[in-house]
Structures are given as structure tokens and as C-alpha cells.
Coordinates of all heavy atoms in Angstrom, one line a residue:
M1 N -38.6 159.7 15.7 CA -39.4 160.4 16.7 C -38.5 161.2 17.7 O -37.4 160.7 18.0 CB -40.2 159.3 17.5 CG -40.9 160.0 18.7 SD -41.9 158.7 19.5 CE -43.3 159.7 19.8
A2 N -38.9 162.3 18.1 CA -38.2 163.1 19.0 C -39.1 163.4 20.2 O -40.3 163.7 20.0 CB -37.7 164.4 18.5
E3 N -38.6 163.3 21.4 CA -39.4 163.4 22.6 C -38.6 163.9 23.8 O -37.4 163.7 23.8 CB -40.1 162.2 23.0 CG -39.1 161.1 23.4 CD -39.8 159.7 23.7 OE1 -40.9 159.7 24.1 OE2 -39.1 158.7 23.5
R4 N -39.2 164.7 24.7 CA -38.5 165.2 25.9 C -38.6 164.0 26.9 O -39.6 163.4 27.0 CB -39.1 166.4 26.4 CG -38.8 167.6 25.5 CD -39.1 168.9 26.2 NE -40.5 169.0 26.6 CZ -41.0 170.2 26.9 NH1 -40.3 171.3 26.9 NH2 -42.3 170.3 27.3
L5 N -37.5 163.9 27.7 CA -37.5 162.9 28.7 C -38.2 163.4 29.9 O -37.9 164.6 30.3 CB -36.1 162.4 29.0 CG -35.4 161.8 27.8 CD1 -34.0 161.3 28.2 CD2 -36.2 160.7 27.2
A6 N -38.9 162.6 30.6 CA -39.7 163.1 31.8 C -38.8 163.6 32.9 O -39.0 164.5 33.6 CB -40.6 162.0 32.3
R7 N -37.6 162.9 33.0 CA -36.7 163.3 34.1 C -36.0 164.6 34.0 O -35.5 165.2 34.9 CB -35.6 162.1 34.4 CG -34.7 162.0 33.3 CD -33.7 160.9 33.6 NE -32.7 160.8 32.5 CZ -32.8 160.0 31.5 NH1 -33.9 159.3 31.3 NH2 -31.9 160.0 30.6
D8 N -35.9 165.1 32.7 CA -35.3 166.4 32.5 C -35.8 166.9 31.2 O -35.6 166.4 30.1 CB -33.8 166.1 32.3 CG -33.0 167.4 32.2 OD1 -33.6 168.5 31.9 OD2 -31.8 167.4 32.3
D9 N -36.6 168.0 31.3 CA -37.2 168.6 30.1 C -36.2 169.2 29.1 O -36.6 169.7 28.0 CB -38.3 169.6 30.5 CG -37.8 170.9 31.1 OD1 -36.5 170.9 31.4 OD2 -38.6 171.8 31.3
R10 N -34.9 169.2 29.4 CA -33.9 169.7 28.4 C -33.1 168.6 27.8 O -32.1 168.9 27.1 CB -33.0 170.7 29.1 CG -33.8 172.0 29.5 CD -32.8 173.0 29.9 NE -33.2 174.3 29.7 CZ -33.4 174.9 28.5 NH1 -33.2 174.3 27.4 NH2 -33.8 176.2 28.4
V11 N -33.5 167.3 28.0 CA -32.9 166.2 27.3 C -33.9 165.7 26.3 O -35.0 165.4 26.6 CB -32.5 165.1 28.3 CG1 -32.0 163.9 27.6 CG2 -31.4 165.6 29.3
V12 N -33.4 165.6 25.1 CA -34.3 165.1 24.0 C -33.8 163.8 23.5 O -32.6 163.6 23.3 CB -34.3 166.2 22.8 CG1 -35.2 165.7 21.7 CG2 -34.8 167.5 23.3
R13 N -34.7 162.9 23.3 CA -34.4 161.5 22.8 C -34.8 161.5 21.3 O -36.0 161.7 21.0 CB -35.1 160.4 23.6 CG -34.8 159.1 23.0 CD -35.6 158.0 23.7 NE -35.1 157.9 25.1 CZ -35.9 157.6 26.1 NH1 -37.2 157.5 26.0 NH2 -35.3 157.5 27.3
F14 N -33.9 161.2 20.4 CA -34.2 160.9 19.0 C -34.1 159.5 18.7 O -33.2 158.8 19.1 CB -33.2 161.7 18.1 CG -33.2 163.2 18.3 CD1 -32.4 163.8 19.2 CD2 -34.1 163.9 17.5 CE1 -32.4 165.2 19.3 CE2 -34.2 165.3 17.6 CZ -33.3 165.9 18.6
R15 N -35.2 158.9 18.1 CA -35.2 157.5 17.8 C -35.5 157.2 16.3 O -36.3 157.9 15.7 CB -36.3 156.8 18.6 CG -36.0 156.6 20.0 CD -37.0 155.7 20.7 NE -38.2 156.5 20.8 CZ -39.4 156.0 21.2 NH1 -39.5 154.7 21.4 NH2 -40.4 156.8 21.4
T16 N -34.8 156.3 15.8 CA -35.1 155.8 14.4 C -34.7 154.4 14.4 O -33.6 153.9 14.8 CB -34.3 156.6 13.3 OG1 -34.6 156.1 12.1 CG2 -32.8 156.6 13.5
G17 N -35.7 153.6 14.0 CA -35.4 152.1 14.0 C -34.9 151.6 15.4 O -35.6 151.9 16.4
S18 N -33.8 151.0 15.4 CA -33.3 150.5 16.7 C -32.3 151.4 17.4 O -31.7 151.1 18.4 CB -32.7 149.1 16.5 OG -31.6 149.2 15.7
T19 N -32.0 152.5 16.7 CA -31.0 153.5 17.3 C -31.7 154.6 18.0 O -32.7 155.2 17.5 CB -30.3 154.1 16.0 OG1 -29.7 153.1 15.3 CG2 -29.2 155.1 16.6
T20 N -31.2 154.9 19.2 CA -31.7 156.0 20.1 C -30.5 156.9 20.5 O -29.4 156.4 20.9 CB -32.4 155.4 21.4 OG1 -33.4 154.6 21.0 CG2 -32.8 156.5 22.3
V21 N -30.7 158.2 20.4 CA -29.7 159.1 20.8 C -30.3 160.1 21.8 O -31.4 160.7 21.5 CB -29.0 159.9 19.6 CG1 -28.1 160.9 20.1 CG2 -28.4 158.9 18.7
E22 N -29.7 160.4 22.9 CA -30.2 161.4 23.9 C -29.3 162.6 23.8 O -28.0 162.4 23.8 CB -30.2 160.9 25.3 CG -31.3 159.8 25.5 CD -31.4 159.3 26.9 OE1 -30.7 159.8 27.8 OE2 -32.3 158.4 27.1
V23 N -29.9 163.8 23.7 CA -29.1 165.0 23.5 C -29.5 166.0 24.6 O -30.7 166.3 24.8 CB -29.4 165.6 22.1 CG1 -28.6 166.9 22.0 CG2 -29.0 164.7 21.0
A24 N -28.6 166.6 25.3 CA -28.9 167.6 26.3 C -28.9 169.0 25.6 O -28.0 169.3 24.9 CB -27.8 167.7 27.4
I25 N -30.0 169.7 25.7 CA -30.2 171.0 25.2 C -29.7 172.0 26.2 O -30.3 172.3 27.2 CB -31.6 171.3 24.7 CG1 -32.2 170.2 23.9 CG2 -31.7 172.7 24.1 CD1 -31.6 170.1 22.5
E26 N -28.6 172.7 25.9 CA -28.0 173.7 26.8 C -28.4 175.0 26.6 O -28.6 175.9 27.6 CB -26.4 173.6 26.7 CG -25.8 172.2 27.1 CD -26.0 171.8 28.5 OE1 -26.0 172.8 29.4 OE2 -26.2 170.7 28.7
E27 N -28.7 175.5 25.4 CA -29.1 176.8 25.1 C -30.5 177.1 25.6 O -31.4 176.2 25.5 CB -29.1 177.1 23.6 CG -27.8 177.5 23.1 CD -27.9 177.9 21.6 OE1 -28.7 178.8 21.3 OE2 -27.2 177.3 20.8
N28 N -30.8 178.3 26.1 CA -32.1 178.7 26.5 C -32.5 179.9 25.7 O -32.3 181.0 26.2 CB -32.1 179.0 28.0 CG -33.5 179.2 28.5 OD1 -34.5 179.0 27.8 ND2 -33.7 179.7 29.7
T29 N -32.9 179.7 24.5 CA -33.2 180.8 23.6 C -34.6 180.6 23.1 O -35.2 179.5 23.3 CB -32.3 180.8 22.3 OG1 -32.5 179.6 21.6 CG2 -30.8 180.9 22.7
P30 N -35.2 181.6 22.6 CA -36.6 181.5 22.0 C -36.7 180.3 21.0 O -37.7 179.6 21.0 CB -36.9 182.8 21.4 CG -36.0 183.8 22.2 CD -34.8 183.0 22.5
T31 N -35.7 180.1 20.2 CA -35.8 179.1 19.2 C -35.7 177.7 19.8 O -36.5 176.8 19.5 CB -34.5 179.2 18.2 OG1 -34.6 180.5 17.6 CG2 -34.6 178.1 17.2
T32 N -34.9 177.5 20.8 CA -34.9 176.2 21.5 C -36.1 175.9 22.3 O -36.6 174.8 22.3 CB -33.6 176.0 22.3 OG1 -33.5 177.0 23.3 CG2 -32.3 176.0 21.5
R33 N -36.6 177.0 22.9 CA -37.9 176.8 23.7 C -39.0 176.5 22.7 O -39.9 175.6 23.0 CB -38.2 178.0 24.5 CG -37.3 178.2 25.7 CD -37.8 179.3 26.6 NE -37.8 180.6 26.0 CZ -36.8 181.5 26.0 NH1 -35.7 181.1 26.6 NH2 -36.9 182.6 25.4
D34 N -39.1 177.1 21.6 CA -40.1 176.8 20.5 C -40.0 175.3 20.1 O -41.0 174.6 20.0 CB -40.0 177.7 19.4 CG -40.5 179.1 19.6 OD1 -41.2 179.3 20.7 OD2 -40.3 180.0 18.8
F35 N -38.8 174.9 19.8 CA -38.5 173.5 19.4 C -39.0 172.6 20.5 O -39.8 171.6 20.2 CB -37.1 173.3 19.1 CG -36.7 171.8 18.8 CD1 -37.2 171.2 17.7 CD2 -36.0 171.1 19.7 CE1 -36.9 169.9 17.4 CE2 -35.7 169.7 19.5 CZ -36.2 169.1 18.3
L36 N -38.6 172.7 21.7 CA -39.0 171.9 22.8 C -40.5 171.8 23.0 O -41.1 170.8 23.4 CB -38.3 172.3 24.1 CG -36.7 172.1 24.1 CD1 -36.1 172.7 25.4 CD2 -36.4 170.6 24.0
S37 N -41.2 173.0 22.8 CA -42.6 173.0 23.0 C -43.4 172.1 21.9 O -44.5 171.8 22.2 CB -43.1 174.4 22.9 OG -43.1 174.9 21.6
M38 N -42.7 171.8 20.8 CA -43.3 171.0 19.8 C -43.2 169.5 20.0 O -43.8 168.7 19.3 CB -42.7 171.3 18.4 CG -43.0 172.7 18.0 SD -42.5 173.0 16.2 CE -40.8 172.7 16.2
L39 N -42.5 169.1 21.0 CA -42.2 167.7 21.3 C -43.3 167.1 22.1 O -43.9 167.8 23.0 CB -40.9 167.5 22.0 CG -39.7 168.0 21.2 CD1 -38.4 167.9 22.0 CD2 -39.6 167.3 19.8
P40 N -43.7 165.8 22.0 CA -43.1 164.9 21.1 C -43.6 165.1 19.7 O -44.7 165.6 19.5 CB -43.6 163.5 21.6 CG -44.9 163.8 22.3 CD -44.7 165.2 22.8
M41 N -42.8 164.7 18.8 CA -43.2 164.8 17.4 C -42.6 163.5 16.6 O -41.6 163.0 17.0 CB -42.7 166.0 16.7 CG -41.2 166.1 16.4 SD -40.7 167.5 15.4 CE -40.8 168.9 16.6
T42 N -43.3 163.2 15.6 CA -42.8 162.1 14.7 C -42.7 162.8 13.3 O -43.7 163.4 12.8 CB -43.7 160.9 14.6 OG1 -43.8 160.4 16.0 CG2 -43.2 159.8 13.7
L43 N -41.6 162.6 12.6 CA -41.3 163.3 11.3 C -41.1 162.2 10.3 O -40.3 161.3 10.5 CB -40.1 164.2 11.4 CG -40.2 165.3 12.4 CD1 -38.9 166.0 12.5 CD2 -41.2 166.3 11.9
P44 N -41.8 162.4 9.1 CA -41.5 161.5 8.0 C -40.3 162.0 7.3 O -40.2 163.2 6.9 CB -42.8 161.7 7.1 CG -43.2 163.0 7.4 CD -42.9 163.3 8.8
F45 N -39.3 161.1 7.0 CA -38.1 161.4 6.2 C -38.2 160.9 4.8 O -38.8 159.8 4.6 CB -36.9 160.9 7.0 CG -36.5 161.7 8.1 CD1 -37.1 161.5 9.4 CD2 -35.5 162.6 8.1 CE1 -36.8 162.2 10.5 CE2 -35.1 163.4 9.2 CZ -35.8 163.1 10.4
E46 N -37.6 161.6 3.9 CA -37.6 161.2 2.5 C -36.1 161.1 2.0 O -35.3 161.8 2.5 CB -38.3 162.3 1.6 CG -39.8 162.4 2.0 CD -40.4 163.6 1.1 OE1 -39.8 164.1 0.2 OE2 -41.5 163.9 1.5
E47 N -36.0 160.2 1.1 CA -34.6 160.0 0.5 C -34.3 161.3 -0.4 O -35.2 161.8 -1.1 CB -34.7 158.8 -0.4 CG -33.3 158.4 -1.0 CD -32.6 157.5 0.0 OE1 -33.1 156.9 0.9 OE2 -31.3 157.5 -0.2
C48 N -33.1 161.7 -0.3 CA -32.7 162.9 -1.1 C -31.3 162.6 -1.8 O -30.3 162.6 -1.1 CB -32.5 164.1 -0.2 SG -32.1 165.6 -1.1
G49 N -31.4 162.4 -3.0 CA -30.2 162.1 -3.8 C -29.5 160.8 -3.5 O -28.3 160.6 -3.8
G50 N -30.2 159.9 -2.8 CA -29.6 158.6 -2.5 C -28.5 158.6 -1.4 O -27.9 157.6 -1.1
R51 N -28.3 159.8 -0.8 CA -27.2 159.9 0.2 C -27.6 160.4 1.5 O -26.9 160.3 2.5 CB -26.1 160.8 -0.4 CG -25.5 160.2 -1.6 CD -24.3 161.0 -2.0 NE -23.2 160.8 -1.0 CZ -22.1 161.4 -1.0 NH1 -21.8 162.3 -2.0 NH2 -21.2 161.2 -0.1
K52 N -28.8 161.0 1.6 CA -29.2 161.6 2.9 C -30.7 161.6 2.9 O -31.4 161.3 2.0 CB -28.7 163.1 3.0 CG -29.1 164.0 1.9 CD -28.5 165.3 2.1 CE -28.8 166.2 0.9 NZ -28.2 167.5 1.1
K53 N -31.2 161.8 4.1 CA -32.7 161.9 4.4 C -33.0 163.3 4.8 O -32.3 164.0 5.5 CB -33.1 160.9 5.5 CG -32.6 159.5 5.3 CD -33.5 158.8 4.5 CE -33.2 157.3 4.5 NZ -33.1 156.7 3.3
V54 N -34.2 163.8 4.4 CA -34.6 165.1 4.7 C -36.0 165.1 5.2 O -36.8 164.2 4.9 CB -34.5 166.1 3.5 CG1 -33.1 166.3 3.0 CG2 -35.4 165.6 2.4
T55 N -36.4 166.1 6.0 CA -37.7 166.3 6.5 C -38.0 167.8 6.7 O -37.1 168.6 6.7 CB -38.0 165.5 7.8 OG1 -39.4 165.5 8.1 CG2 -37.2 166.2 9.0
T56 N -39.2 168.1 6.9 CA -39.6 169.5 7.2 C -40.4 169.6 8.5 O -41.3 168.8 8.7 CB -40.5 170.0 6.1 OG1 -39.8 169.9 4.8 CG2 -40.9 171.5 6.3
L57 N -40.0 170.5 9.4 CA -40.7 170.7 10.6 C -42.0 171.4 10.3 O -42.0 172.4 9.5 CB -40.0 171.6 11.6 CG -38.7 171.0 12.2 CD1 -38.0 172.0 13.1 CD2 -39.0 169.7 13.0
R58 N -43.1 170.9 10.8 CA -44.5 171.5 10.5 C -45.1 172.1 11.7 O -45.0 171.8 12.8 CB -45.4 170.5 9.9 CG -44.8 169.9 8.7 CD -45.5 168.6 8.3 NE -44.5 167.8 7.5 CZ -44.7 167.6 6.3 NH1 -45.8 167.9 5.7 NH2 -43.8 166.9 5.6

């Protein structure tokens, strides 16, 4: 799951299982604004080749 934090709309929290990572988004571009506007979102990941996980933004 990815979500913006209430205290700062440019910090994004990514969660999977018991692991959480917070990332500060520094760029202010149309692409980053579009991404931030889609949050919160939950993405289904699939196994790919037994070594990585992949998903598609919808």
C-alpha cells in the first residue's frame, strides 16, 4: 500500500507486510503530482521469474 502522510503531502509511506518505508518526494513535476494524486492506493504484486515482484499502475 502507498499513501501520503497527513503531516506532509510530499512524504509517501510504502507498506508491505510488516515493513514500512517513508519516502520524501522532492521533485515537483507533472509526473510526481499525478502519482501523488492517485494515493492512497493498494497494488497487487505478482511473482516474476522467481526473483522479483511486479505490478501495474492503473
Side-chain angles (χ1 to χ4, degrees):
M1 175 177 220
E3 62 186 331
R4 290 194 299 197
L5 301 182
R7 68 179 182 270
D8 186 345
D9 66 352
R10 294 192 148 291
V11 175
V12 178
R13 176 184 293 145
F14 296 92
R15 284 189 289 169
T16 181
S18 63
T19 302
T20 300
V21 177
E22 291 182 5
V23 179
I25 306 293
E26 299 295 328
E27 275 187 57
N28 186 13
T29 65
T31 302
T32 56
R33 286 191 300 271
D34 286 348
F35 172 70
L36 292 172
S37 75
M38 294 190 302
L39 300 178
M41 73 171 76
T42 300
L43 299 171
F45 284 82
E46 299 175 9
E47 187 83 22
C48 181
R51 298 189 66 185
K52 59 184 173 182
K53 308 276 191 230
V54 296
T55 192
T56 302
L57 293 177
R58 299 166 205 247

